Amino acid sequence: CMDSLKMALVQEGLLIVRDYAGPNYYQFDETQMRLVNGFLGLLPEQYRREVAGKIRINQEPPPLDWLLANDPASACKAEDLRQAVTERFSLYENIEPGGTLLMPLLAGISHNFLDDSEECRRLLSALWDVEKTLIEAGMVKSDHFLAIAHNTRHKSGGAGSSGGFIELEGVPTDLEKKN
């Protein structure tokens, strides 16, 4: 798929990838699930209610047999996404937005967080901050990947770290105005 995208992308074009890049088929590891279930146990009961009304007490990865039978293309080679992009394209920006704990934690209960109350906002903010801290400390890695890439190599030979565009050979540096 990435080879086809590389061939289809015009020289001045950008590839923007935002996707799940965690364990294949959402088969989260033991450490990840232990953290998820620890956070689940801290949530007030009203936020752990499933659509059918049952209170969620434990979260598990989706059964692989079920996933393969019902959605075999779902996250099938997710672990390969980062490498596939970085081997074929030059990165302008690589952002690791998380989702490592929050995605499996909120699966099946996310509807409880639609409330715009102060409590709900504080709770989501605290969960996000803890996940971000664990990722920054290297204790867990981000299960989602956001990359802005180009089809040519940068003059500097590396990816930009400031979030801005860097000069490319033969491409105007003022890409933001051009778009």
Side-chain angles (χ1 to χ4, degrees), residues 33-34 36-43 45 47-50 54-60 105 109:
M33 293 313 299
R34 193 171 45 252
V36 165
N37 285 312
F39 292 146
L40 183 65
L42 296 173
L43 292 177
E45 197 172 278
Y47 292 102
R48 294 185 287 127
R49 191 169 305 280
E50 297 173 359
K54 182 180 172 187
I55 303 298
R56 170 86 38 97
I57 58 169
N58 190 44
Q59 184 64 282
E60 296 178 6
L105 172 66
I109 61 170

Side-chain angles (χ1 to χ4, degrees), residues 148-170:
I148 303 171
H150 195 276
N151 217 1
T152 59
R153 293 279 167 219
H154 299 140
K155 280 186 177 178
S156 65
S161 60
S162 67
F165 290 103
I166 29 186
E167 189 175 354
L168 301 171
E169 284 188 43

Side-chain angles (χ1 to χ4, degrees), residues 59-122:
Q59 184 64 282
E60 296 178 6
L64 185 56
D65 292 345
W66 180 91
L67 197 60
L68 291 173
N70 292 285
D71 194 3
S74 185
C76 61
K77 291 194 171 218
E79 292 174 348
D80 298 337
L81 179 63
R82 282 181 186 87
Q83 182 177 348
V85 171
T86 57
E87 283 178 351
R88 291 164 181 84
F89 300 92
S90 295
L91 294 182
Y92 283 130
E93 192 70 38
N94 174 26
I95 299 168
E96 302 290 339
T100 309
L101 305 175
L102 295 181
M103 186 180 118
L105 172 66
L106 299 177
I109 61 170
S110 61
H111 61 279
N112 296 310
F113 294 86
L114 297 174
D115 178 357
D116 193 31
S117 70
E118 181 65 27
E119 178 186 38
C120 187
R121 284 194 310 269
R122 279 194 334 265

